[in-house]
Amino acid sequence: MFRQKPNSVARALVFAALPLCFSAPQAFAQSPVQVGSSAAKPGAPVLLQRSDADIFAATLAGRYAQGVDNPKLAAQAWARAFFRRPSDLELYDRATAANLEVGNLGMVVRMAKLVAPAQRSPKAVLALAVEALGQGRYQDVARTLDGQKFSPSLTQFANHLRAYALLGQGQGPKAIDLAGQVTGISELDDAALMSRAMILARAKRPQEAIALFEKARGLQQDSPAGLRFYSQLLLSVGQRDKAEALLSPLAERGSVKASAFTGALALARAGDKGNVALNAQDHVAIGMLTLVEAMQDSRPPTETSDLLFLLAFLHPSSDEVNAALGQHLASHGYDELAEPLLERVSVFSQDFVATRTELAWLIYTRDPNQALLNARELVAKNPTNFAAMTLLADMLSANRLDAEAEAAYHSLIKQGEAANWSPAETWPLYFGRGGARERLGRWPEALSDLRLAKAAAPNQPNVLNYLGYALADRGENLDEALAMLRNAMRLRPRSGAILDSYGWALFKSGRHEEAATMLERAASLAPNLAEVADHLGDVYWRTGRQEEARLEWRRALSLTPTAEQTKALEIKLSDGLPPDPSRAADAAILAQTKSN
C-alpha cells in the first residue's frame, strides 16, 4: 500500500513552492489583506498572514505525501498544520487519522489534549485511556472513557480497558462483572471470552478461567497469545496432560503459525509447572491482544491495525503485541511500518521464528541475497524448527538455487510423511519441490508433485497458475490447463501474472486474437513483468502487428529479464518469430522456403 517512493520531480516542484508560501506574507506584513475582507478590491491579490502560510505549506505537504503513499510524511505534515491552528477541527481530524495510520499514538494523545473532550475522535479517547492505564493512573481511565460514544467493537475494547483498570485498583469482582457485559452482537461477545478468562486468572479464580477458555475454544476463539497463556494456566494447576493435548495439534505441524506453539509444548513436556504470574503490564497487553485477535476476522483491517497500535502504545516492548502487529501490517502491504516491529521481537519469544520468516520476505523484495542469508542463519540457530527449514527451502527456490531447494523440500516432505501428515498439511512442500524439479528439467517428477499439491489444495490460485502455465507452455492437456487458469482468474481476477498465464494458454491453443486481448489486460495490471511484455510481443507478431511486437520485446528487455530471456528477446528483435507450421499462412512460407 505504501511501497511507492515519492517522485523526485513532483517533490521538487512541491517543495520549490514552499518558500513562496513563507515569503509572501513577510513582504506584505505591514498591511495584509485578509481573505473575505471587505477592504479587498475586486481582482486584488489575496495575501496571507504568516501563520496562514505555515498552515498552507503544511497541508500542501500533507496532501502531497498522501498522493505519493508516504504516510509518515503525511502524519508529520498534518500534525504541524494542526499545531499552528489547534482550533481547526478539520485539521484535527486529518492529523489524528494520519497519525493513527502510522501508529504515532504519542502524537495523537498530544493533539487530543488540546481539544475539548466532546471533540476528540473515539480512537484518540481510547489512546488517552491506554496512556493512563499504562502509567498506572487507573481512575483516569474511567474518567477519560465516561460519556464517550463508541461503535460496538470499540465499546467492547473500552469496557475491557476499564476492567483492567479496576483490577489494578484491586477490585477484581467489579472487573469480572464489567468484562462480562454483553453488546448483544454474538461475534463481539464471543471474542471477549479469552480476555475475560485472563481477568479471572488475574483475580486468582483459575478454575473459572479454565472453564471460560474451554468455552472460547469451543467457539473457535483461538488467539495464539491466549492459547499459550491457557497452556501455562493448565500447567500451574497440575493439568499437564491437558496442556499437552491442547498444544500438540497446534505445535506439531510445519506451518509458520504452528512454530509459535513449539516452545510452549517443549515446556509442557519437560514438566514445567507453568508461570501465570505475569507482571500487570504483560497481563493487560496479552489479555487485550486476545480480544483484538478474536475480533479481527469480523473487523476492517484498518480498525484491527488501530487497536493493535493502541496495545503497542500500552506496552511497546511486548513481544506478543509487536509480533501480532508486525504480521498484520505485513499481510496488508504496510511493509515499512511492519519491519521495525518484527525486528523488535526478542530471540526468546515463541513468536521469533514466525516473525523472522515474515521479515525475511519483506527483505527479499529489495535484497534477495540478504533474505537468503537471514534464512540460513535462522536455520543454523534453530536446526530442528520445521518453519525455519521451510523458509530456507522457499528462499532457495525464490533465488533459483533449484538443486539445493529440491533437496531441502525433499527432506521436509520425508519428515512430514514420517509424522503421518496429510497432503493437505504438506501441499506447500509438494508445490515447492514440484517447481524446483520443473525448473531443473525433471518434468515427470515435477508434474507428479504439482498434481499432489493441486489435489490437496484444489482452489489455491498459485498452484493452479503454476501447473496450468507449465502444461500450456508444453502444449500438454490444453483444455485442462485453460480450465485451471480460468479458476485461478476467478479467485484472483486482478492478478496480472495469472491473466498472463491464461493469455499464454490461449496463444498456445491457437486462439491468438483472444490471447492478445487477455495479454493486454495482463500488461495493464503487471506493467513491470518482463515475461508479460515478452508474451504480448509474441502474440502481436503472430497477428501481423510486427512493429508493436518489437516495441513490446524492447520493453521486456528494459524490465530486467533473466539472462535466458534476454538472449531470446535479442534473437526475436533481430529475426522475429520463426514461422508456425500449424498456421496456414506460415505453412505456405515454410513450403516456399523448402522449395528454394
Side-chain angles (χ1 to χ4, degrees):
M1 295 181 188
F2 299 118
R3 296 176 189 178
Q4 297 178 9
K5 299 299 181 185
N7 179 279
S8 59
V9 175
R11 178 166 49 193
L13 289 172
V14 170
F15 285 98
L18 298 188
L20 298 177
C21 303
F22 289 101
S23 62
Q26 290 178 314
F28 299 97
Q30 308 234 340
S31 57
V33 179
Q34 297 298 316
V35 175
S37 168
S38 59
K41 296 178 181 179
V46 178
L47 306 179
L48 303 175
Q49 297 283 9
R50 173 61 180 262
S51 59
D52 293 322
D54 291 348
I55 293 167
F56 175 72
T59 55
L60 183 63
R63 291 180 188 279
Y64 159 75
Q66 289 174 325
V68 297
D69 285 340
N70 189 331
K72 290 185 178 180
L73 177 60
Q76 294 165 2
W78 287 116
R80 188 164 63 250
F82 166 73
F83 284 121
R84 290 289 186 183
R85 188 180 291 162
S87 60
D88 190 323
L89 293 181
E90 183 178 351
L91 287 177
Y92 168 70
D93 289 340
R94 285 180 179 272
T96 297
N99 280 275
L100 276 170
E101 187 175 12
V102 298
N104 192 350
L105 275 297
M107 183 64 73
V108 170
V109 165
R110 281 181 60 197
M111 295 187 295
K113 290 176 179 177
L114 295 179
V115 300
Q119 296 169 336
R120 294 167 179 162
S121 73
K123 287 171 187 171
V125 173
L126 291 176
L128 287 165
V130 163
E131 180 192 50
L133 183 60
Q135 294 177 354
R137 295 185 286 108
Y138 301 122
Q139 292 182 341
D140 287 346
V141 175
R143 277 196 286 264
T144 301
L145 296 172
D146 285 347
Q148 297 291 334
K149 294 182 179 180
F150 299 107
S151 67
S153 58
L154 296 186
T155 296
Q156 190 75 283
F157 189 89
N159 280 345
H160 282 247
L161 287 178
R162 285 191 178 98
Y164 283 107
L166 287 169
L167 273 181
Q169 295 172 279
Q171 299 183 43
K174 286 186 177 180
I176 293 166
D177 289 343
L178 181 57
Q181 289 185 5
V182 296
T183 64
I185 300 173
S186 60
E187 62 187 25
L188 293 178
D189 296 333
D190 294 346
L193 291 174
M194 277 199 175
S195 178
R196 192 177 180 218
M198 296 279 294
I199 290 170
L200 282 162
R202 188 74 180 178
K204 301 190 186 308
R205 291 162 64 170
Q207 295 304 326
E208 292 173 76
I210 288 170
L212 210 54
F213 271 119
E214 282 299 304
K215 182 178 180 181
R217 289 224 66 206
L219 294 168
Q220 298 183 324
Q221 299 299 325
D222 287 353
S223 155
L227 290 174
R228 289 200 298 258
F229 179 89
Y230 178 35
S231 70
Q232 289 289 292
L233 181 62
L234 290 170
L235 290 169
S236 72
V237 295
Q239 297 189 32
R240 176 182 169 185
D241 291 344
K242 194 171 183 179
E244 285 195 49
L246 167 72
L247 293 168
S248 292
L250 298 169
E252 295 180 338
R253 292 294 180 261
S255 70
V256 171
K257 188 175 181 181
S259 68
F261 296 102
T262 54
L265 180 62
L267 290 174
R269 288 177 170 166
D272 190 277
K273 294 182 179 179
N275 176 24
V276 292
L278 299 171
N279 64 45
Q281 193 179 24
D282 283 324
H283 195 104
V284 174
I286 295 173
M288 294 298 293
L289 179 59
T290 67
L291 177 63
V292 177
E293 287 181 332
M295 290 195 300
Q296 67 182 350
D297 288 341
S298 58
R299 300 293 95 199
T302 51
E303 182 164 295
T304 299
S305 299
D306 290 343
L307 296 180
L308 288 170
F309 273 130
L310 285 167
L311 298 185
F313 184 52
L314 172 72
H315 193 349
S317 60
S318 168
D319 283 335
E320 286 85 357
V321 172
N322 286 326
L325 178 54
Q327 290 171 320
H328 175 79
L329 291 170
S331 69
H332 290 88
Y334 290 71
D335 295 0
E336 292 182 17
L337 299 178
E339 198 165 317
L341 290 159
L342 296 170
E343 287 177 340
R344 203 179 295 168
V345 175
S346 163
V347 69
F348 302 107
S349 168
Q350 292 174 15
D351 290 304
F352 180 74
V353 170
T355 54
R356 280 301 183 272
T357 297
E358 192 77 61
L359 186 59
W361 287 113
L362 297 185
I363 293 170
Y364 177 82
T365 60
R366 64 174 186 272
D367 191 343
N369 290 329
Q370 184 60 54
L372 177 58
L373 287 173
N374 289 0
R376 291 189 190 279
E377 182 180 349
L378 188 65
V379 169
K381 293 180 178 177
N382 302 271
T384 61
N385 187 289
F386 201 94
M389 291 187 289
T390 302
L391 170 66
L392 178 56
D394 290 342
M395 279 294 167
L396 290 166
S397 179
N399 281 273
R400 293 298 184 260
L401 298 172
D402 293 313
E404 195 176 350
E406 193 270 344
Y409 284 123
H410 185 74
S411 174
L412 291 167
I413 288 169
K414 289 301 179 185
Q415 290 183 48
E417 289 173 348
N420 200 31
W421 294 355
S422 70
E425 293 164 324
T426 54
W427 73 260
L429 303 177
Y430 289 111
F431 179 45
R433 188 175 70 176
R437 285 176 167 176
E438 188 264 341
R439 292 188 295 275
L440 289 167
R442 294 160 59 183
W443 174 237
E445 294 172 280
L447 180 59
S448 175
D449 277 343
L450 293 170
R451 289 204 180 280
L452 279 172
K454 179 180 176 293
N459 290 312
Q460 215 296 326
N462 292 334
V463 173
L464 293 170
N465 181 48
Y466 197 106
L467 178 54
Y469 179 83
L471 288 170
D473 197 46
R474 288 168 171 77
E476 298 178 11
N477 302 332
L478 286 169
D479 288 342
E480 181 191 12
L482 285 165
M484 277 191 279
L485 292 167
R486 277 194 296 270
N487 192 20
M489 281 198 305
R490 178 185 61 81
L491 294 164
R492 288 191 184 163
R494 292 192 57 78
S495 168
I498 291 175
L499 265 64
D500 170 68
S501 296
Y502 186 64
W504 191 243
L506 289 170
F507 175 72
K508 298 293 280 190
S509 301
R511 296 157 63 178
H512 293 163
E513 295 295 339
E514 292 176 76
T517 300
M518 186 59 61
L519 287 166
E520 284 168 348
R521 285 178 56 197
S524 69
L525 290 169
N528 297 321
L529 287 182
E531 192 168 22
V532 178
D534 184 14
H535 287 164
L536 184 54
D538 286 8
V539 173
Y540 281 160
W541 185 272
R542 289 289 185 228
T543 52
R545 300 159 67 177
Q546 279 83 3
E547 288 306 313
E548 291 172 272
R550 287 193 170 92
L551 285 172
E552 289 301 322
W553 290 333
R554 289 191 189 98
R555 191 167 71 83
L557 272 176
S558 72
L559 295 173
T560 60
T562 65
E564 185 179 354
Q565 287 173 329
T566 298
K567 183 178 179 181
L569 285 164
E570 288 171 346
I571 293 172
K572 289 178 190 178
L573 282 167
S574 172
D575 304 332
L577 291 181
D580 180 358
S582 68
R583 298 176 72 239
D586 288 359
I589 294 171
L590 284 171
Q592 182 66 32
T593 302
K594 289 178 181 178
S595 67
N596 292 336

